[in-house]
Amino acid sequence: VLQNLSQTPVLRELLKEAKMPGTTVKIESPELCMEPQLVKLDQPGPLTLAMHQFVTEMQETKKGVVTPKELFAQVCKKAIRFKGYQQQDSHELLRYLLDGMRTEE
């Protein structure tokens, strides 16, 4: 799930822009033929910042192994069910991660 998210261009652009609060971002999707949307970004929360850090590390070519330790810690704060290191479905992680970042808006 995290590898797929790190390769999502729109998400990468939004996370890059999220570092600068008050920025207005224009989202265009030529594949979906939708009207461009303008999104005003507020101060990013800790989960969004951890996701930005993880995606940035994934994009670095010189980096060897990338460990999502901080991102996982932030997900656990939002969804306690992940704290015990028990097996979870990837779609649950995706849901909690995206919902958590959305609630920080």
Side-chain angles (χ1 to χ4, degrees):
V1 167
L2 293 177
Q3 288 174 336
N4 286 329
L5 288 175
S6 73
Q7 297 303 314
T8 306
V10 172
L11 180 62
R12 282 198 323 253
E13 284 301 312
L14 279 174
L15 288 171
K16 185 170 64 173
E17 298 293 331
K19 295 287 285 183
M20 298 175 279
T23 302
T24 300
V25 178
K26 183 177 182 181
I27 300 174
E28 297 182 76
S29 180
E31 299 89 25
L32 299 177
C33 300
M34 293 173 54
E35 293 275 330
Q37 295 182 344
L38 294 176
V39 178
K40 186 173 184 333
L41 302 175
D42 294 326
Q43 179 67 35
L47 180 59
T48 304
L49 290 173
M51 184 65 181
H52 174 267
Q53 177 186 351
F54 173 76
V55 168
T56 301
E57 287 178 10
M58 287 288 290
Q59 297 301 310
E60 291 178 6
T61 57
K62 296 178 184 173
K63 191 104 176 167
V65 176
V66 176
T67 306
K69 184 183 264 185
E70 178 60 26
L71 180 58
F72 181 67
Q74 293 302 323
V75 168
C76 288
K77 287 180 182 178
K78 301 269 184 196
I80 297 172
R81 69 183 325 163
F82 290 102
K83 268 191 176 176
Y85 293 101
Q86 296 174 355
Q87 179 133 358
Q88 303 287 338
D89 290 332
S90 59
H91 71 277
E92 290 180 29
L93 172 68
L94 177 62
R95 190 179 105 221
Y96 282 107
L97 177 62
L98 295 178
D99 283 348
M101 288 192 312
R102 185 176 46 105
T103 59
E104 289 182 344
E105 290 178 344

